């Protein structure tokens, strides 16, 4: 009997051990990441830079900091990761940002045997004058519950500098493919084909202020109405009144953007001189902005190039996926002054459309709820700004909780309330949407 | 020669005048009980003579000429008998026994039966087979044809599944060419304005069908208005007990009751049947439904007029029902769609057996079908600003006007806010038909000759009002197009056919030749009267008559050739008028959200094509039927051409309109609130007026905009589409020890069709390179103007194996059917007799990089043959030559011409696509419980296969689960009671 029990016990142990041969899903692997700084830059690797690995499937994040050689070791479980790093340094009074991202790093159970070096190229960028302060694009619920209304779209451009900004030759563009989720044929071996070519694609068309471009005073803003430059709140109480006389509507029916749902003729309060001019080369009669994963970039054509001459230049044309209906133009990255990129919440296949040189992060976004993408405040700079004492309003409560942990302005300051209170706000500008934006519960222009 | 002719005539006359006549009489009794079978029909098919048995089962056929003839005896509820007799004297007092048609019969079959006596490919599916497969829609029967596939689901809400297609695999036009008749009533879809497809069979009560004959070969000339074959549905006619049926499947429930009532004496039989069928679209949300509530009454009787009986039948069938998603709780409040499928079909038939020297019988049939297919759709709408609805039907410039100010305004200003838009489409097709046919059967010695002459008058029209809205003030762009103002199509056909059977020793040769001439009258239209001719020939040679002692027990061969004409549908003849409309002025939105847009409206008149010819089908077929040691083999090979297929042609003409920039209002001194905008209907000049009259009128500046407008015309495709194939049925008969029969049926099908119609295209959504000027070029393409290919090729090999176990003593029949698609191939093609039109292109631009593009991975582009410009529309500039030149010499032109290049959306578009073989299996079982009940169960794709198939075009593997290739897993149960 005893023998039998012994044999039985041994068998159970053997079975248990066999069962242990299964892969442990929680086993971690060390990934060594080296940050590479631009050759010739005055800046080199330093200790203490945070490196983050984000699992592209379950969005779990792992972080570590670099040593003095710019190397960080991250312990991650098997999976596919986007590995990124960000830091800001000061140089002669100007903030210089470094962004780097390496997409599609796959860690498998063989990693221990064959670890691969992960080098993240850090892109240097300086803060620019004009930034995208807010994007409201995703629509809001209709009064009767029959769905959402999304023909109310705007973008706020902000002069984040102490000197006047001329918006002449400033153009507003979107990348193509339009959405972050879904197939992106620009990816070759997990990397955007134009990643290292210092250019980004402007899809479908772009808008420019033209000859009547405003001059933006320091720390002031201009509202660009992307669609629906009328009082939308007369029908949709959750929407935004975009009929203000100071707004600049995207309205140019001669260009071919003449869908009257997208482009009702703007309110009589808005002078026609404020209408933006369209440069359309895509098909269809509306500028195809994504409502679920919006991405925008603004660029200024350099001396000798106008928005019109850039439009007429066929040498910069490209067809996404070789399709005539997917025409786009390559914009050099040194023309780009700011960008924002949203990722669709709930999608597991979000991929960057903008390269790190332009924007290295992403802001999770969900449409149809009346949310906007709003810029975070550079708290230190804002608090240090002369005259702001006592004018800054804290207790910001318009963050959202649609993603785990929620998104809000880490400064805790309420930018809009502070501005009304007479404060000057300086926004974050790190060329990284992850750091620079949060998803706001309510469009700032909504009364 | 004259003498020879005279001799032949005299010979014929002498044969006619002095031929001896006999009597054929007897009794039709029930086998086993010897009870009489009243209403049994006895037909001597070769002599076109017939009689109906009286209450004692007695029948008499007089005036029977000498010679052999086939005899068929049939009666509802009994198994038919057919045999051959040689009439050499009076045949009287003979007794014929019929067996009740149930599963105790060893002859019961649950597959389609070959009509071996037919000179063309024809099959019959009888009630036993229909009940065994539990047909909900008569379109299901196509699965019983060689190589047929079970339908994707048993769901009547899916209209696409309810049309029958014969010997074709391409959608729409092939069902349009397939004729469907119920008791001789043609289900026509000719008067549809919205589609060019065959008639839906959804509203045909499947429970009342007795048998279905499917003629896939060349039919008799008495059948017209079809190109792909004919399906003849016969409902129950005759005395029956009360029968009730309950049928259930996950998506569909069916209840039916029927009875054939003997009215007593000699007053005939009245068949009454009622059926209710309800289908739901989705199991998870059973609120979108299709209802069929069918009631049918058919009276039949035989009246004696001396020795010349008259068989009379008249029926009326009505259906109430349709599609309805009103109860769907997931839909937004008060939004719904309903489509009625109400119909009433009436018909009569009169068959008078004259049996005279020069006329045997006369048949007169008539039918009328009126349907109400009214659709109602209620949708909720909203808008932040006012919108414009264009209702104008006259040319000119118009400013939008509130409905309250002028309800007849050409452009209505719809205010901002929320509203419901209730749209009706009143579609009421009416079809009628009267058909007189004269048969003359006469033997010339041993030669059997039958002549058929007939005249057929049909008409199709529509009594509906077309599309309209409940509240015009809230309607979108709309113009009235009352269907009932469109002229009817009337068609007169006359035909003659001779059917001669010549005995040659122990063999016989059957030759059928006929011609049908049609005059189609479309009054008050550009088409007038159109004539067409349809000759048809069939030949069948019975090489070996049945002889059980031989290995090759029976053999016959046949060949057919014929032309059939499909009348056009209203959607071809009378496409709804369209209007070109462009916004020409847009003053700013006012404080209340109103925007007084102005538009230019250009009506596009219907372009009648006086050269339009009717679409024709030219069918050729050969076939053999053989019995090899008890294995029955049927083989058919066909080669069908569709000639003059209907296709639409776009043409563009230059067009200039005046465009007034809103910026011209900036300097207008009239306050916005006081402005009245007027636009001159003819000149397009905008004038701003002051409501108060205080400020003088202000005329706004404008500029001309040049572009193109299109016109659509229906034309005939010059290149015939070719369908060819082979069909086989091998019936191994029953293996007695296991009471199981095995049948193999399959088909090889090949289609190739492409278009050489030169179609033009104008991309009106793009501008010239300045970003402002409307596009100035029109491209002229071979074939479709929006696709890279101009045709397609497809092929398939399907083979089914059916195992049927029949245990008569247990009244049980079980069948297992394995369906296989062994080869499925599709290929986009580009073919043009004038040269190459598609080229491979590189990644950098749309210029050709070679000539080979087929069956390789490459992006490819179709270039227009030539293009024209706004300034010189009549000069056609060779495109590719200019395009290549512009690349290096005129970058702007190159970029602009780029818009005319039609590129493939993938680099595998022109690769052939072979789908790897796939299989599914279904079972059916029917068990009779005594004579009063029977129970059937079926499960289609009962393995619910999740296997993957490989698609070679893009080298993909995809699951068959819920794919387009395989039926869904579904099942059903039916209980039938006889009381």
């Amino acid at each position: 009997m005893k023998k039998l029990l012994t044999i039985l016990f041994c068998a159970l142990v053997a079975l248990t051990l066999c069962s242990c041969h299964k892969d442990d899903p929680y086993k971690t692997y060390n990934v060594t990441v080296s940050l590479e700084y631009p050759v010739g830059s005055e800046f080199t690797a330093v200790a203490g830079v945070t490196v983050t690995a984000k699992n592209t499937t379950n969005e779990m994040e792992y972080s570590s900091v670099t040593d003095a050689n710019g190397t960080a070791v991250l312990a991650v479980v098997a999976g596919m990761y986007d590995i990124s790093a960000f830091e800001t340094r000061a140089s002669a009074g100007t903030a210089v940002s470094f962004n780097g991202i390496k997409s599609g790093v796959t860690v498998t159970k063989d990693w221990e045997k064959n670890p691969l070096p992960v080098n993240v190229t850090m892109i240097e960028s300086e803060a620019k004058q004009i930034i995208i302060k807010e994007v409201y694009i995703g629509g809001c619920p209709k009064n009767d519950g029959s769905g959402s209304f999304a023909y109310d779209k705007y973008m706020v451009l902000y002069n984040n500098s102490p000197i006047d900004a001329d918006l002449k030759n400033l153009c507003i563009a979107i990348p193509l493919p339009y959405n972050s989720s879904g197939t992106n044929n620009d990816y070759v071996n997990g990397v955007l084909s134009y990643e290292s070519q210092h250019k980004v694609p402007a899809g479908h068309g772009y808008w420019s202020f033209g000859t009547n471009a405003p001059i933006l005073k320091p720390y002031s803003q201009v509202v660009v109405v992307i669609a629906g430059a009328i009082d939308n709140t007369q029908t949709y109480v959750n929407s935004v009144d975009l009929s203000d006389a100071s707004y600049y509507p995207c309205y140019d029916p001669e260009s071919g953007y003449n869908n009257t749902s997208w482009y009702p003729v703007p309110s009589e309060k808005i002078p026609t001189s404020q209408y933006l001019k369209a440069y359309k080369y895509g098909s269809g009669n509306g500028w195809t902005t994504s409502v679920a994963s919006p991405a925008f970039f603004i660029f200024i054509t350099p001396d000798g190039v106008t928005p019109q001459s850039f439009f007429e230049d066929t040498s910069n044309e490209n067809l996404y996926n070789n399709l005539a209906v997917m025409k786009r133009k390559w914009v050099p990255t040194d023309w780009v002054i700011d960008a924002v990129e949203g990722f669709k919440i709930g999608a597991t296949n979000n991929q960057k459309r903008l390269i790190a040189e332009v924007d290295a992060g992403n802001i999770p976004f969900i449409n149809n709820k009346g949310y906007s993408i709003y810029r975070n405040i550079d708290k230190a700079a804002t608090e240090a700004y002369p005259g702001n004492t006592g004018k800054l309003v804290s207790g910001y409560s318009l963050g959202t909780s649609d993603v785990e942990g929620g998104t809000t302005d880490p400064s805790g300051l309420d930018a809009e309330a502070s501005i009304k209170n007479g404060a000057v706000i300086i926004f974050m500008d790190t060329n990284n949407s992850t750091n620079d934006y949060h998803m706001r519960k309510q469009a700032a222009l909504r009364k | 020669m004259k003498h020879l002719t005279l001799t032949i005539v005299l010979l014929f006359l002498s044969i006619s005048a002095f031929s001896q006549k006999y009597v054929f009489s007897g009794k039709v009794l029930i086998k086993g009980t010897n009870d009489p079978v009243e209403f049994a029909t006895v037909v001597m098919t070769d002599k076109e003579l017939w009689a109906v048995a009286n209450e004692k089962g007695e029948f008499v056929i007089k005036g029977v000429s000498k010679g052999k003839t086939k005899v068929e005896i049939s009666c509802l509820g009994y198994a038919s008998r057919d045999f051959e007799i040689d009439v050499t004297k009076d045949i009287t007092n003979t007794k014929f026994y019929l067996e009740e048609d149930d599963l105790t019969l060893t002859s019961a079959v649950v597959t389609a039966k070959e009509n071996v006596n037919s000179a063309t490919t024809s099959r019959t599916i009888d009630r036993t087979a229909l009940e065994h497969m539990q047909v909900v829609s008569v379109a299901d029967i196509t699965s019983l044809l060689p190589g047929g596939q079970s339908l994707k689901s048993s769901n009547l809400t899916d209209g696409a599944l309810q049309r029958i297609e014969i010997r074709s695999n391409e959608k729409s036009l092939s069902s349009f060419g397939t004729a469907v008749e119920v008791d001789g009533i043609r289900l026509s879809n000719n008067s549809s304005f919205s589609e060019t497809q065959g008639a839906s069979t959804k509203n045909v009560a499947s429970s009342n069908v007795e048998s279905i004959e499917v003629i896939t070969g060349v039919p008799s000339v008495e059948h017209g208005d079809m190109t792909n074959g004919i399906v003849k549905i016969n409902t129950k006619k005759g005395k029956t007990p009360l029968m009730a049926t309950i049928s259930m499947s996950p998506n569909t429930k069916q209840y039916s009751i029927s009875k054939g009532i003997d009215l007593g004496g000699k007053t005939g039989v009245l068949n009454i049947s009622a059926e209710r069928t309800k289908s739901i679209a989705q199991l998870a949300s059973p609120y979108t439904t299709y209802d069929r509530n069918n009631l049918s009454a058919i009276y039949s009787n035989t009246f004696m007029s001396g020795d010349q009986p008259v068989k009379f039948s008249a029926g009326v069938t009505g259906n109430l029902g349709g599609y309805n998603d009103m109860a769907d709780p997931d839909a937004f409040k008060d939004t719904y769609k309903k489509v009625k499928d109400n119909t009433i079909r009436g018909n009569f038939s009169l068959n008078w057996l004259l049996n005279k020297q020069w006329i045997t019988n006369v048949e007169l049939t008539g039918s009328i079908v009126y349907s109400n297919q009214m659709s109602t759709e209620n949708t909720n709408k909203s808008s932040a600003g006012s919108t414009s609805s264009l209702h104008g039907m006259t040319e000119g410039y118009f400013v939008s006007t509130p409905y309250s100010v002028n309800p007849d305004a050409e452009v209505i200003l719809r205010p901002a806010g929320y509203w419901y838009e209730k749209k009706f489409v009143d579609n009421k097709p009416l079809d009628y038909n009267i058909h007189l046919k004269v048969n003359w059967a006469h033997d010339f010695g041993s030669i059997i000759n039958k002549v058929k002459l007939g005249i057929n008058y049909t008409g199709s029209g529509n009594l509906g009002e077309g599309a309209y809205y409940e509240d015009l003030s809230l309607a979108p762009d709309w113009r009235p197009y009352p269907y009932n103002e469109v002229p009817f199509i009337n068609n007169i056909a006359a035909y003659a056919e001779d059917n001669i059977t010549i005995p040659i020793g122990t063999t016989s040769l059957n030759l059928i030749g006929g011609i049908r001439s049609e005059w189609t009258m479309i009054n008050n239209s550009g088409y007038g009267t159109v004539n067409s001719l349809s000759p048809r020939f069939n030949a069948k040679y019975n090489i070996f008559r049945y002889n059980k002692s031989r290995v090759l027990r029976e053999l016959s061969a046949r060949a057919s050739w014929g032309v059939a004409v499909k009348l056009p549908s209203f959607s071809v003849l009378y496409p709804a008028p369209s209007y070109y409309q462009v916004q020409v002025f847009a003053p700013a939105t006012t404080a209340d959200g109103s925007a007084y847009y102005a538009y230019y409206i250009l009506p596009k008149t219907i372009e009648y094509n006086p050269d339009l010819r009717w679409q024709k089908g030219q069918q050729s077929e050969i076939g053999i039927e053989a019995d090899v040691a008890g294995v029955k083999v049927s083989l058919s090979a066909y080669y069908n051409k569709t000639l003059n297929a209907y296709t639409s042609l776009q043409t563009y003409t230059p067009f200039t309109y005046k465009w007034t920039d809103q910026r011209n209002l900036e300097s207008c001194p009239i306050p916005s609130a006081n402005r009245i905008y007027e636009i001159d209907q003819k000149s397009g000049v905008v004038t701003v007026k002051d409501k108060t009259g205080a400020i003088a009128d202000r005329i706004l500046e404008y500029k001309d905009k040049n572009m193109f407008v299109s016109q659509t015309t229906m034309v005939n495709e010059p290149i015939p589409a070719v369908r060819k194939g082979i069909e086989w049925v091998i019936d191994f008969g029953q293996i007695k020890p296991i009471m199981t029969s095995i049948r193999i049926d399959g088909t090889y099908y090949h289609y190739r069709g492409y278009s050489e119609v030169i179609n033009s295209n104008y991309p009106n959504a793009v501008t010239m390179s300045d970003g402002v000027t409307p596009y100035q070029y029109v491209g002229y393409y071979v074939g479709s103007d929006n696709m890279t290919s101009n045709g397609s090729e497809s092929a398939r090999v399907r083979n089914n194996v059916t195992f049927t176990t029949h245990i008569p003593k247990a009244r049980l029949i079980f069948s297992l059917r394995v369906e296989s698609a062994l080869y499925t191939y599709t290929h986009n093609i580009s073919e043009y007799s004038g040269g190459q039109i598609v080229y491979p292109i590189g990644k950098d631009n749309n210029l050709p990089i070679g000539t080979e593009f087929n069956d390789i991975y490459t992006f490819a582009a179709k270039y227009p043959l030539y293009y024209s410009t706004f300034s010189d529309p009549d000069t056609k500039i060779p495109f590719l030559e200019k395009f290549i030149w512009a690349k290096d010499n005129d970058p702007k032109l190159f970029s602009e011409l780029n818009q005319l290049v039609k590129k493939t959306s993938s680099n595998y578009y022109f690769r052939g696509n072979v789908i790897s073989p796939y299989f599914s299996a279904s079972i059916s079982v029917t068990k009779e419980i005594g004579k009063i009940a029977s129970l059937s169960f079926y499960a289609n794709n009962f393995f619910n296969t999740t296997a993957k198939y490989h698609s070679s075009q893009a080298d993909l593997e995809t699951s068959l689960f819920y794919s387009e290739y395989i039926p869904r897993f579904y099942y059903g149960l039916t209980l039938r009671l006889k009381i």
Side-chain angles (χ1 to χ4, degrees), chain B residues 575-597:
Chain B
S578 58
Y579 297 81
Y580 180 74
Q581 50 203 34
V582 60
Q583 192 188 97
V584 294
F585 175 58
T589 299
T590 59
D592 67 352
S594 297
Y596 293 86
Y597 297 106

Short mmCIF file of all heavy atoms in Angstrom, two decimals, chain B residues 575-597:
data_model
loop_
_atom_site.label_atom_id
_atom_site.label_comp_id
_atom_site.label_asym_id
_atom_site.label_seq_id
_atom_site.Cartn_x
_atom_site.Cartn_y
_atom_site.Cartn_z
N PRO B 575 -35.32 55.25 -67.12
CA PRO B 575 -34.60 55.62 -65.89
C PRO B 575 -35.13 56.95 -65.37
O PRO B 575 -35.51 57.83 -66.16
CB PRO B 575 -33.14 55.74 -66.36
CG PRO B 575 -33.21 55.90 -67.84
CD PRO B 575 -34.46 55.22 -68.29
N ALA B 576 -35.19 57.07 -64.06
CA ALA B 576 -35.74 58.30 -63.46
C ALA B 576 -34.96 59.51 -63.96
O ALA B 576 -33.74 59.47 -64.01
CB ALA B 576 -35.66 58.20 -61.95
N PRO B 577 -35.66 60.57 -64.34
CA PRO B 577 -34.96 61.75 -64.82
C PRO B 577 -34.02 62.29 -63.74
O PRO B 577 -34.35 62.24 -62.56
CB PRO B 577 -36.07 62.77 -65.09
CG PRO B 577 -37.34 62.03 -65.00
CD PRO B 577 -37.10 60.76 -64.25
N SER B 578 -32.89 62.75 -64.14
CA SER B 578 -31.97 63.30 -63.16
C SER B 578 -31.73 64.78 -63.46
O SER B 578 -32.06 65.27 -64.55
CB SER B 578 -30.64 62.53 -63.18
OG SER B 578 -30.08 62.58 -64.46
N TYR B 579 -31.19 65.44 -62.48
CA TYR B 579 -31.01 66.90 -62.59
C TYR B 579 -29.60 67.25 -62.16
O TYR B 579 -29.15 66.82 -61.10
CB TYR B 579 -32.02 67.62 -61.69
CG TYR B 579 -33.45 67.38 -62.11
CD1 TYR B 579 -34.11 66.21 -61.73
CD2 TYR B 579 -34.12 68.29 -62.92
CE1 TYR B 579 -35.41 65.97 -62.15
CE2 TYR B 579 -35.41 68.05 -63.34
CZ TYR B 579 -36.06 66.89 -62.95
OH TYR B 579 -37.33 66.63 -63.37
N TYR B 580 -28.93 68.00 -62.98
CA TYR B 580 -27.64 68.52 -62.56
C TYR B 580 -27.90 69.78 -61.76
O TYR B 580 -28.69 70.63 -62.19
CB TYR B 580 -26.75 68.82 -63.77
CG TYR B 580 -25.42 69.34 -63.34
CD1 TYR B 580 -24.48 68.47 -62.80
CD2 TYR B 580 -25.13 70.69 -63.42
CE1 TYR B 580 -23.27 68.94 -62.35
CE2 TYR B 580 -23.92 71.16 -62.97
CZ TYR B 580 -22.99 70.28 -62.44
OH TYR B 580 -21.81 70.76 -61.98
N GLN B 581 -27.28 69.91 -60.62
CA GLN B 581 -27.52 71.08 -59.78
C GLN B 581 -26.23 71.50 -59.11
O GLN B 581 -25.47 70.66 -58.62
CB GLN B 581 -28.62 70.78 -58.76
CG GLN B 581 -28.41 69.50 -57.98
CD GLN B 581 -29.71 68.96 -57.40
OE1 GLN B 581 -30.78 69.07 -57.99
NE2 GLN B 581 -29.63 68.37 -56.23
N VAL B 582 -25.98 72.79 -59.13
CA VAL B 582 -24.73 73.29 -58.57
C VAL B 582 -25.02 74.58 -57.79
O VAL B 582 -25.84 75.41 -58.20
CB VAL B 582 -23.69 73.53 -59.68
CG1 VAL B 582 -24.15 74.54 -60.70
CG2 VAL B 582 -22.35 73.94 -59.11
N GLN B 583 -24.35 74.69 -56.63
CA GLN B 583 -24.53 75.89 -55.81
C GLN B 583 -23.79 77.06 -56.48
O GLN B 583 -22.63 76.91 -56.86
CB GLN B 583 -23.95 75.64 -54.43
CG GLN B 583 -24.33 76.69 -53.41
CD GLN B 583 -23.57 76.48 -52.10
OE1 GLN B 583 -22.55 77.11 -51.87
NE2 GLN B 583 -24.06 75.58 -51.28
N VAL B 584 -24.48 78.17 -56.64
CA VAL B 584 -23.89 79.30 -57.38
C VAL B 584 -23.71 80.54 -56.51
O VAL B 584 -23.03 81.48 -56.91
CB VAL B 584 -24.73 79.65 -58.62
CG1 VAL B 584 -24.71 78.52 -59.62
CG2 VAL B 584 -26.17 80.01 -58.24
N PHE B 585 -24.33 80.54 -55.35
CA PHE B 585 -24.23 81.71 -54.47
C PHE B 585 -24.59 81.28 -53.06
O PHE B 585 -25.53 80.50 -52.87
CB PHE B 585 -25.18 82.81 -54.96
CG PHE B 585 -25.23 84.02 -54.08
CD1 PHE B 585 -24.08 84.75 -53.81
CD2 PHE B 585 -26.44 84.45 -53.53
CE1 PHE B 585 -24.12 85.87 -52.98
CE2 PHE B 585 -26.51 85.57 -52.73
CZ PHE B 585 -25.34 86.29 -52.45
N ALA B 586 -23.84 81.80 -52.07
CA ALA B 586 -24.11 81.43 -50.69
C ALA B 586 -23.91 82.63 -49.78
O ALA B 586 -22.79 82.88 -49.31
CB ALA B 586 -23.19 80.28 -50.27
N PRO B 587 -24.95 83.41 -49.55
CA PRO B 587 -24.82 84.52 -48.60
C PRO B 587 -24.72 83.96 -47.19
O PRO B 587 -25.18 82.85 -46.92
CB PRO B 587 -26.12 85.31 -48.80
CG PRO B 587 -27.10 84.32 -49.31
CD PRO B 587 -26.33 83.30 -50.08
N ALA B 588 -24.14 84.73 -46.30
CA ALA B 588 -23.83 84.23 -44.96
C ALA B 588 -25.08 83.77 -44.20
O ALA B 588 -26.19 84.23 -44.45
CB ALA B 588 -23.13 85.32 -44.17
N THR B 589 -24.84 82.86 -43.25
CA THR B 589 -25.92 82.35 -42.42
C THR B 589 -26.41 83.45 -41.47
O THR B 589 -25.59 84.12 -40.82
CB THR B 589 -25.43 81.14 -41.60
OG1 THR B 589 -25.02 80.13 -42.52
CG2 THR B 589 -26.53 80.59 -40.71
N THR B 590 -27.70 83.61 -41.43
CA THR B 590 -28.26 84.68 -40.59
C THR B 590 -28.36 84.23 -39.13
O THR B 590 -28.10 83.06 -38.83
CB THR B 590 -29.66 85.08 -41.10
OG1 THR B 590 -30.49 83.91 -41.05
CG2 THR B 590 -29.61 85.59 -42.52
N ALA B 591 -28.75 85.14 -38.29
CA ALA B 591 -28.78 84.86 -36.85
C ALA B 591 -29.71 83.70 -36.50
O ALA B 591 -29.45 82.95 -35.55
CB ALA B 591 -29.21 86.12 -36.09
N ASP B 592 -30.76 83.50 -37.28
CA ASP B 592 -31.68 82.39 -36.98
C ASP B 592 -31.25 81.09 -37.65
O ASP B 592 -31.99 80.11 -37.68
CB ASP B 592 -33.12 82.75 -37.39
CG ASP B 592 -33.26 82.88 -38.89
OD1 ASP B 592 -32.23 82.84 -39.60
OD2 ASP B 592 -34.41 83.02 -39.36
N GLY B 593 -30.05 81.10 -38.22
CA GLY B 593 -29.51 79.87 -38.82
C GLY B 593 -29.92 79.65 -40.26
O GLY B 593 -29.71 78.57 -40.81
N SER B 594 -30.51 80.65 -40.90
CA SER B 594 -30.96 80.48 -42.29
C SER B 594 -29.87 80.88 -43.27
O SER B 594 -29.20 81.90 -43.09
CB SER B 594 -32.21 81.34 -42.56
OG SER B 594 -33.27 80.91 -41.75
N ALA B 595 -29.71 80.07 -44.30
CA ALA B 595 -28.73 80.38 -45.36
C ALA B 595 -29.47 80.29 -46.69
O ALA B 595 -29.99 79.23 -47.04
CB ALA B 595 -27.58 79.39 -45.32
N TYR B 596 -29.50 81.43 -47.39
CA TYR B 596 -30.29 81.49 -48.63
C TYR B 596 -29.40 81.14 -49.82
O TYR B 596 -29.02 81.98 -50.61
CB TYR B 596 -30.92 82.87 -48.78
CG TYR B 596 -31.97 83.13 -47.72
CD1 TYR B 596 -31.61 83.64 -46.48
CD2 TYR B 596 -33.31 82.80 -47.95
CE1 TYR B 596 -32.56 83.85 -45.48
CE2 TYR B 596 -34.26 83.00 -46.96
CZ TYR B 596 -33.89 83.53 -45.73
OH TYR B 596 -34.83 83.70 -44.76
N TYR B 597 -29.10 79.84 -49.92
CA TYR B 597 -28.25 79.37 -51.02
C TYR B 597 -29.00 79.52 -52.34
O TYR B 597 -30.22 79.38 -52.39
CB TYR B 597 -27.90 77.90 -50.85
CG TYR B 597 -27.09 77.57 -49.62
CD1 TYR B 597 -27.66 76.92 -48.53
CD2 TYR B 597 -25.74 77.86 -49.56
CE1 TYR B 597 -26.92 76.60 -47.40
CE2 TYR B 597 -24.98 77.54 -48.44
CZ TYR B 597 -25.58 76.90 -47.36
OH TYR B 597 -24.84 76.59 -46.26
#
